Amino acid sequence: RLRRHRRRHRPGPPRQRIILFDYDPSRWGATAERLLDGARGYLQSDGYAAYDGVAARLGLVHVGCFAHARRKGFEAIKALPKGAAANTPAHEFVRRIDTLYAIEREVKALDADDRTRVRRERARPLLESLHDWARQQAAQTLPLGKLGAAFGYLLAQWPKLARYLAENVIRPFALGRRYPRSEVREGFKRLFPRDALLFSPARVACH
């Protein structure tokens, strides 16, 4: 399975970075550990448990991925009966996460200190409300369905997801999307086949 490991450095002025795409056919934690050896900062990943050990061994702050959490909500919406209303808990699940992304779009141009301040002022209450609501809904939802899986993922990943309040680690990526080769830096094209690629990413932001 194709893996994308995104390692971000800040070698120059703010907002400039190096993006490295690395190919490996496995999801083993050893793959990420090899790539990230010597890194400092934050590891962002989906809920794959192997990355917990990677972050612990390398001393990285492990943060969750709201795009993966939101994807679970979209899957729950797709599983609804045809003609279902648009005000279901699955829709509310996605809407609440989208409000966090809306704030991120607004603060994108701010410096790190101002972004953190706005997050704590505006996003913290939304996060707390999302967490309380999800716990209530999960208690009333069958865990084996798509919606139950969405709540289960969100709550299991919550300690990692909530860390973004203090860190610059939430991104409006469509994870699992197809990235055409034109988006990859010229120097890394040799790593990829000619066709567009299907990625499932882990990311680390290094300072």
Side-chain angles (χ1 to χ4, degrees):
R1 185 176 180 180
L2 183 64
R3 300 292 302 158
R4 185 187 76 164
H5 298 274
R6 175 172 169 152
R7 185 177 184 176
R8 189 175 72 179
H9 302 268
R10 296 184 182 276
R15 305 188 189 284
Q16 291 189 12
R17 60 186 184 269
I18 295 172
I19 300 175
L20 169 65
F21 293 88
D22 182 80
Y23 168 81
D24 194 281
S26 79
R27 294 194 71 190
W28 292 353
T31 301
E33 192 164 348
R34 168 188 58 79
L35 179 65
L36 303 175
D37 184 34
R40 292 177 293 113
Y42 312 101
L43 171 64
Q44 184 177 39
S45 72
D46 58 15
Y48 186 45
Y51 295 127
D52 292 336
V54 173
R57 287 189 293 273
L58 297 181
L60 301 171
V61 178
H62 197 182
V63 295
C65 177
F66 265 107
H68 276 88
R70 184 172 59 172
R71 183 188 300 170
K72 302 289 185 183
F74 284 128
E75 291 173 357
I77 291 173
K78 290 180 180 178
L80 291 171
K82 187 175 180 179
N87 60 349
T88 68
H91 290 87
E92 181 68 6
F93 184 99
V94 172
R95 186 195 67 77
R96 285 175 177 258
I97 294 176
D98 280 345
T99 59
L100 299 173
Y101 278 95
I103 293 173
E104 289 304 300
R105 288 191 291 270
E106 292 179 26
V107 303
K108 183 177 180 180
L110 301 180
D111 62 31
D113 290 340
D114 285 338
R115 281 197 301 272
T116 299
R117 175 183 54 79
V118 173
R119 285 175 184 145
R120 289 175 176 171
E121 292 175 354
R122 296 176 55 192
R124 185 189 297 278
L126 297 176
L127 275 173
E128 292 174 350
S129 177
L130 170 60
H131 188 232
D132 291 343
W133 175 81
R135 291 177 63 186
Q136 294 170 3
Q137 292 293 321
Q140 306 169 29
T141 305
L142 292 176
L144 298 181
K146 291 292 186 180
L147 183 58
F151 285 126
Y153 181 91
L154 181 78
L155 294 173
Q157 292 293 304
W158 192 260
K160 299 186 186 76
L161 290 169
R163 287 179 186 142
Y164 101 90
L165 279 178
E167 317 297 349
N168 186 26
V169 291
I170 185 172
R171 293 294 181 192
F173 290 145
L175 302 185
R177 62 180 279 193
R178 291 184 179 274
Y179 285 82
R181 208 175 76 172
S182 61
E183 294 185 11
V184 183
R185 289 175 180 269
E186 184 69 26
F188 300 120
K189 283 183 179 179
R190 61 183 178 80
L191 297 174
F192 301 94
R194 296 182 63 181
D195 296 330
L197 303 172
L198 183 64
F199 291 105
S200 178
R203 183 169 66 119
V204 62
C206 301
H207 297 276

